[in-house]
Amino acid sequence: MFGKGLITGMRVTWKHFWGKKVTFCYPEEKLPMTERFRGGHLALNATKCIGCKLCSLNCPNRALELTVTVDENKKRHMQQYLHIMGRCLYCNLCVESCPTQALSWDKEYAISSWYKEDMVHDSMSDQTSAAVSEVKPHE
Amino acid sequence: MPKTETFILNMGPQHPSTHGVLQVQLELDGENIVHAKPIMGYLHRGIEKLLESRTYVQGVPYTDRLDYVSSMNNNFGFCRVVEELAGIEVPRRAEYIRVIMAEFNRIASHLIFIGTLAIDLGASTGMLYTFRDREDILDLFNLVCGARMTFHYIRIGGVAADVQPEFVAQAYAFLDKVPHFMEEYNQILSGNEIFTRRLKGVSQLSVEESLAYNMTGPNIRAAGLPYDLRKVDGYSVYPEFSFAVPVGKKGDNWDRYQVRFREIFESAKIIRQALDGLPEGEFMAKIPKVLRPPKGEVYSRTESTRGELGFYIVSDGSTKPYRVHIRRPSFVNMQGLDAMCRGMLIGDSVAAFSSIDPLMGEVDC
């Protein structure tokens, strides 16, 4: 009978209409990000950083702009660490290449901005313990 | 008898059913298509040249951007070529994990195919159901590699990180759900009279024609040729798993839909076997910090979601490839569009286009 398939399909839709919801109300509800989540802002733990610049060397798209100074004892100091989010591929190569595991992603994924200038994030701006959390980058 | 002439109708590049930015120039005789000419290049990013200007390791995330709904398969293809070039032996556990991820991605991609085919034919409800179930796979990927789309998980020498026990548990839970949601699609779409009439007997391509257009993947299998590189080449650990290669009979839109539909079950079968037999051991081979493959050239191919994905790399012994060429299945499969559309109505061109399942990221590269 022509139309039988349509009715069968409608029955499925009708069943789900009263069934359990599979969506949630964003932004009132937010999903927790996974431990290995890569995205958002790059956070640099300045106390761990040795200024080797391996992260920017490994970056495929030059998304990291680093300013490093060398003191009289030939020790390197990271002065400025800019993460240019517009260029970033979020490939995680910087985090994985860090020998002291000073880099980590924050779990904030809502990072869209109105202006291009806001796409540059100073990764050293927030050195509070919450921002530079002890999130272990995955092995 | 009044004199008539054909006229040109541009479909796209801002047409919702072209799955991105493709322009199809339709030459029409009344409502019938005389000639359909795909015009490509709107999404060209020069990925081959980008790969040539970066090191091998840095190039892997760019392959994610080729066929962005099945990135795992692209990573897999590229990494296999570089490993062959550099003579890297991949640990068995890594090979198993790669197969699991590639097959999960195949399911996710086929779910998108079913959803977009449905919405292109006007059944917008069908799309929501397939995207609901694809979400579970994306959650699995998010758990294991921290990304939902551009995964960069399969690396040169293995995979980025080992799978967690909760991933394995969730993967089994998903596999248990597969027959249920597939039955739902059967009820919503496959049994729907409008859906079947739009697909059955429309845009047929024979095996000879498909071969002439060099089509691969589900498109040629729908015509009746069981050509699947997982069986033909038997690369990676695929020979260790038992699975069938679904084939169609006529090569029409319906067969192309059915082949992909049945492939989801086969992929689920492979994943279950791989999870059952997942060996212990390393997930990454020892590769040098600076990778310099010896001079030479390699072409290697894998069965991507859309067909034969081949990478041709020439190495001059430096850290960067001298030349990269990518054989993208979507681009090659698009050649059949004209033959599929000839003599059909404008509405059928949308169904034909959708049943080829091309992806613009891969067509333009």
Side-chain angles (χ1 to χ4, degrees):
Chain A
M1 187 189 85
F2 189 84
K4 197 180 159 203
L6 292 173
I7 295 163
T8 318
M10 287 295 277
R11 203 179 292 147
V12 176
T13 318
W14 186 248
K15 202 177 85 192
H16 280 289
F17 187 74
W18 300 105
K20 202 178 145 223
K21 266 192 210 168
V22 290
T23 52
F24 64 95
C25 281
Y26 182 83
E28 284 81 18
E29 294 170 61
K30 282 187 177 179
L31 282 179
M33 289 297 108
T34 58
E35 194 192 329
R36 292 177 181 178
F37 174 74
R38 22 177 253 259
H41 299 121
L42 199 57
L44 178 80
N45 190 335
T47 51
K48 279 185 177 178
C49 181
I50 53 170
C52 65
K53 284 192 179 181
L54 266 178
C55 43
S56 74
L57 278 172
N58 273 286
C59 180
N61 214 22
R62 297 184 204 148
L64 299 172
E65 267 183 25
L66 277 54
T67 315
V68 176
T69 52
V70 184
D71 64 11
E72 62 274 13
N73 299 325
K74 289 190 176 168
K75 200 180 170 202
R76 290 161 160 268
H77 297 281
M78 185 64 69
Q79 296 301 324
Q80 197 181 35
Y81 198 104
L82 297 179
H83 175 216
I84 305 156
M85 292 184 284
R87 298 182 69 98
C88 186
L89 297 171
Y90 295 96
C91 64
N92 213 35
L93 283 175
C94 50
V95 177
E96 286 167 28
S97 65
C98 184
T100 58
Q101 295 179 351
L103 282 170
S104 60
W105 297 106
D106 65 2
K107 305 283 182 211
E108 182 52 58
Y109 49 85
I111 51 163
S112 59
S113 59
W114 284 106
Y115 303 104
K116 201 181 165 191
E117 297 74 47
D118 297 341
M119 298 290 278
V120 179
H121 175 70
D122 184 358
S123 298
M124 291 173 75
S125 59
D126 198 356
Q127 288 296 318
T128 56
S129 56
V132 189
S133 59
E134 290 301 310
V135 178
K136 301 271 183 302
H138 58 263
E139 298 82 31
Chain B
M1 190 73 185
K3 188 173 172 278
T4 60
E5 57 181 33
T6 59
F7 72 103
I8 301 286
L9 179 79
N10 278 307
M11 212 168 95
Q14 284 96 14
H15 193 280
S17 76
T18 53
H19 299 203
V21 276
L22 174 80
Q23 183 186 358
V24 184
Q25 217 172 51
L26 297 172
E27 191 183 339
L28 297 170
D29 180 11
E31 260 205 88
N32 292 314
I33 299 165
V34 179
H35 186 63
K37 183 180 168 193
I39 299 169
M40 305 151 189
Y42 290 96
L43 202 61
H44 177 71
R45 291 147 297 167
I47 288 187
E48 287 178 5
K49 290 295 152 199
L50 284 170
L51 291 175
E52 285 165 22
S53 59
R54 276 140 181 90
T55 64
Y56 291 92
V57 176
Q58 286 177 342
V60 183
Y62 284 92
T63 60
D64 283 327
R65 275 89 183 155
L66 282 168
D67 175 358
Y68 42 79
V69 300
S70 60
S71 303
M72 288 286 186
N73 287 287
N74 297 301
N75 290 166
F76 195 9
F78 183 73
C79 292
R80 269 182 54 75
V81 182
V82 179
E83 283 151 12
E84 207 171 309
L85 200 60
I88 297 167
E89 185 84 28
V90 181
R92 264 181 73 75
R93 186 177 173 83
E95 288 281 21
Y96 267 69
I97 298 172
R98 284 172 170 202
V99 167
I100 292 169
M101 296 304 164
E103 293 308 316
F104 262 130
N105 218 173
R106 196 182 307 275
I107 297 180
S109 181
H110 283 348
L111 289 179
I112 287 201
F113 163 78
I114 296 172
T116 49
L117 181 69
I119 204 165
D120 283 346
L121 300 180
S124 48
T125 316
M127 188 273 282
L128 295 173
Y129 286 94
T130 57
F131 273 62
R132 173 199 66 188
D133 300 318
R134 172 177 173 260
E135 201 63 26
D136 290 341
I137 300 179
L138 296 190
D139 284 345
L140 281 170
F141 288 150
N142 199 0
L143 183 69
V144 81
C145 69
R148 287 164 44 86
M149 238 177 135
T150 47
F151 307 117
H152 190 216
Y153 178 65
I154 296 176
R155 305 284 176 90
I156 296 164
V159 291
D162 206 353
V163 292
Q164 309 98 317
E166 59 260 41
F167 169 85
V168 178
Q170 283 187 33
Y172 274 122
F174 176 81
L175 294 179
D176 292 338
K177 273 168 53 180
V178 171
H180 299 290
F181 66 67
M182 294 306 278
E183 179 51 32
E184 237 172 39
Y185 305 156
N186 259 334
Q187 288 175 357
I188 297 170
L189 296 170
S190 311
N192 187 307
E193 286 85 357
I194 303 167
F195 190 74
T196 47
R197 285 193 183 190
R198 287 291 303 275
L199 298 179
K200 277 186 180 170
V202 182
S203 302
Q204 290 191 16
L205 268 192
S206 65
V207 176
E208 291 73 29
E209 276 177 303
S210 306
L211 280 173
Y213 289 117
N214 216 347
M215 289 169 106
T216 47
N219 292 316
I220 198 158
R221 291 197 285 274
L225 188 75
Y227 181 74
D228 189 325
L229 291 176
R230 292 173 293 174
K231 286 274 188 199
V232 175
D233 280 6
Y235 62 91
S236 190
V237 284
Y238 278 112
E240 295 175 24
F241 307 122
S242 79
F243 62 99
V245 179
V247 286
K249 284 179 190 141
K250 290 190 204 156
D252 56 358
N253 285 345
W254 178 256
D255 278 347
R256 281 187 280 276
Y257 164 69
Q258 277 297 315
V259 162
R260 289 186 177 92
F261 198 90
R262 277 145 60 197
E263 267 183 22
I264 293 179
F265 289 105
E266 297 305 321
S267 291
K269 217 192 276 178
I270 296 172
I271 297 167
R272 194 176 283 279
Q273 291 172 57
L275 285 171
D276 288 343
L278 189 65
E280 291 298 319
E282 292 291 311
F283 60 85
M284 190 72 173
K286 296 263 178 294
I287 60 162
K289 281 246 185 304
V290 182
L291 188 65
R292 285 178 206 272
K295 273 186 188 176
E297 52 185 307
V298 167
Y299 175 79
S300 180
R301 53 190 194 166
T302 50
E303 182 71 30
S304 157
T305 314
R306 288 168 174 77
E308 176 184 329
L309 174 73
F311 283 91
Y312 172 68
I313 299 183
V314 181
S315 164
D316 58 356
S318 69
T319 55
K320 295 171 186 174
Y322 176 74
R323 176 77 178 99
V324 179
H325 176 69
I326 310 165
R327 188 228 184 259
R328 295 104 58 196
S330 290
F331 174 72
V332 183
N333 290 345
M334 280 291 289
Q335 315 309 313
L337 185 68
D338 183 33
M340 286 162 74
C341 289
R342 224 171 283 151
M344 301 288 165
L345 300 172
I346 302 174
D348 291 330
S349 75
V350 174
F353 179 82
S354 195
S355 75
I356 303 177
D357 192 22
L359 204 114
M360 284 311 116
E362 201 177 46
V363 170
D364 292 336
C365 181

